[in-house]
Amino acid sequence: MADHYEALGVDRDATTDQIKKAYRRLARELHPDVNPGAEASERFKSITHAYDVLSDANQRQKYDQGGGQNGGFDGQNFGNFGDIFETFFGGGGGSSRGPRSRRERGQDALIRVELDLDEVIFGTHRDLDVDTAIVCDTCKGSCCAPGTSPITCDICHGTGSIQRAVRSLLGNVMTSSPCGSCRGYGTIIATPCMTCSGQGRVRARRTVPVDIPAGVDTGLRLQMPGSGEAGPAAGPNGDLYLEMKVRHHDVFSRDGDDLMCSLDVPMTSAILGTSVTVKALDGDIEVEIRAGSQSSEVLTIKDRGITKLRGSGRGDLKIGIHVLTPTKLDHKERDLIEQFAARYAAPAPTLSQYQQGLFAKLRDRFLG
């Protein structure tokens, strides 16, 4: 038995691409259609077997290790010439997949849902009107006019493909291509449904009920399997994706699961302390302002923030104190302030750490 590497004229460390190129060159030279001699025929069989062995990593390893003179060859099969032709030149040896199905999965759909911040706290329900494709009510997705059905294609006889013999350097090879008459379906709709024009679906508006969970945020997408467009010929529905957008609120802002706001406190209330009722997004809250409160202090109200999307519980409500200093005083008010200043004997103003405005200071306290 000739050495497989010598048969192909390659070194023992040749790459797979080098082996393939060597076989292709020799096959064009020695194929019986090109070179009908008995010697050429034997060499063609020899190089075909050599290629079968050396192009397979497992068989090549066994052959290199001396695992059998034939390298897995049983003396009866010289390789599948149709597969070899397909590998090098395209085409194929026929199709066993059968005709195409008219039923296909529908496309996915994406719509944006805008929410108010208060709806995010506990979640909400929406009935969304969606323009989409639904199954045709006239033909029920069959694509045919009522009382009719698809007929078998008389060109491909229901197979959906046409096979042809193609003559090549490696002999006759059967190729398969979709039938041009039925477009690969194997059947023809002679009388299509007038309502859907033979598509099995129509455009319509339908209402989709949606329960939006608490804790969603802008950019989050919710997937609703099977709520997208109906597929052709009553194929399965695609999915519906809802992209959330939370509207801006003039008073409250959000930091993760926490809510933040600022509370304006008159100077006298900050000095003496007071109690005030504020309107939160989920109801009134009683807030205690301690005596001597300073601007940028933060009051934390536990469990009055956003309900957590994953997990349990709620975030907090963080209220930043903003002490208001009066800008206009009458003579009596100014006299009272001067008397207070004289009795208080406050130290002179001094430099402290630079803060870029009240809200920057509040932000540092909120987030720090």
Side-chain angles (χ1 to χ4, degrees), residues 104-158:
E104 297 180 6
R105 182 182 184 274
Q107 292 184 341
D108 296 336
L110 173 67
I111 61 176
R112 174 174 290 183
V113 180
E114 293 193 357
L115 303 170
D116 290 324
L117 191 56
D118 57 339
E119 295 179 296
V120 175
I121 295 180
F122 298 113
T124 187
H125 178 85
R126 290 287 181 87
D127 290 322
L128 303 177
D129 292 329
V130 182
D131 289 319
T132 185
I134 63 174
V135 176
C136 175
D137 192 53
T138 301
C139 68
K140 309 302 181 184
S142 70
C143 306
C144 302
T148 67
S149 59
I151 60 176
T152 301
C153 176
D154 58 359
I155 302 299
C156 67
H157 304 290

Side-chain angles (χ1 to χ4, degrees), residues 196-215:
C196 63
S197 300
Q199 296 298 310
R201 60 179 184 171
V202 294
R203 302 297 301 185
R205 178 180 289 265
R206 63 187 175 94
T207 300
V208 179
V210 180
D211 288 320
I212 299 174

Side-chain angles (χ1 to χ4, degrees), residues 263 287-289 297-301 317-321 366:
L263 181 64
V287 178
E288 294 291 335
I289 308 297
E297 287 188 8
V298 176
L299 303 177
T300 299
I301 312 299
L317 172 61
K318 296 183 177 182
I319 304 175
I321 301 299
F366 279 143

Side-chain angles (χ1 to χ4, degrees), residues 4 7 9 55 100 118 131 155 164 241 253 272 326-327 335:
H4 291 335
S55 62
R100 292 172 53 194
D118 57 339
D131 289 319
I155 302 299
R164 297 181 178 86
Y241 291 87
S253 60
L272 301 175
T327 57
D335 183 59

Side-chain angles (χ1 to χ4, degrees), residues 4-5 8 12 14-17 19-20 23 47-65 70-73 84 87-88:
H4 291 335
Y5 293 100
L8 294 176
R12 301 190 72 85
T15 65
T16 302
D17 286 340
I19 292 173
K20 182 184 295 185
Y23 173 73
I47 65 170
T48 298
H49 173 52
Y51 175 74
D52 284 342
V53 173
L54 298 183
S55 62
D56 183 278
N58 293 330
Q59 291 194 51
R60 182 178 181 181
Q61 184 179 14
K62 292 179 181 179
Y63 178 77
D64 290 341
Q65 294 174 349
N70 293 332
F73 175 55
I84 294 172
T87 299
F88 290 123

